[in-house]
Amino acid sequence: MFRTSSGATPVRYYYTKETSVVDPEGRVLSLSAVQPDMPATVYYTTVGDRVVVRKVVLAQPVKVIKREETTTTTTTRP
């Protein structure tokens, strides 16, 4: 669901396999990149009584958090 403004009642949108999510630079992201209260432009169409999202363009780049990997090596000597 999306809100058209912060005080508005949420509107239910539907998505399909063809729905795309992109950041401001046009990089394709997964649908899970869309988080609550994240500003975005939503392009949609009406199919019957449903509002189907075609494309979501996020207003801000998604922050990528990289975690360092730690490797532990154990050597045993006879």
Side-chain angles (χ1 to χ4, degrees):
M1 291 202 280
F2 294 94
R3 293 179 193 219
T4 55
S5 65
S6 61
T9 304
V11 176
R12 184 174 300 271
Y13 291 85
Y14 296 88
Y15 64 93
T16 65
K17 293 178 187 177
E18 290 78 33
T19 301
S20 62
V21 178
V22 296
D23 68 5
E25 289 80 35
R27 292 181 290 229
V28 177
L29 305 169
S30 68
L31 194 58
S32 64
V34 179
Q35 299 295 317
D37 297 324
M38 180 180 279
T41 301
V42 179
Y43 297 92
Y44 62 88
T45 187
T46 304
V47 179
D49 61 342
R50 292 185 174 200
V51 179
V52 179
V53 176
R54 297 293 177 208
K55 184 177 186 179
V56 178
V57 180
L58 302 179
Q60 300 171 350
V62 176
K63 294 179 184 177
V64 176
I65 301 172
K66 285 191 171 185
R67 297 181 184 191
E68 290 187 32
E69 293 183 26
T70 304
T71 305
T72 304
T73 305
T74 306
T75 307
T76 56
R77 295 186 179 170

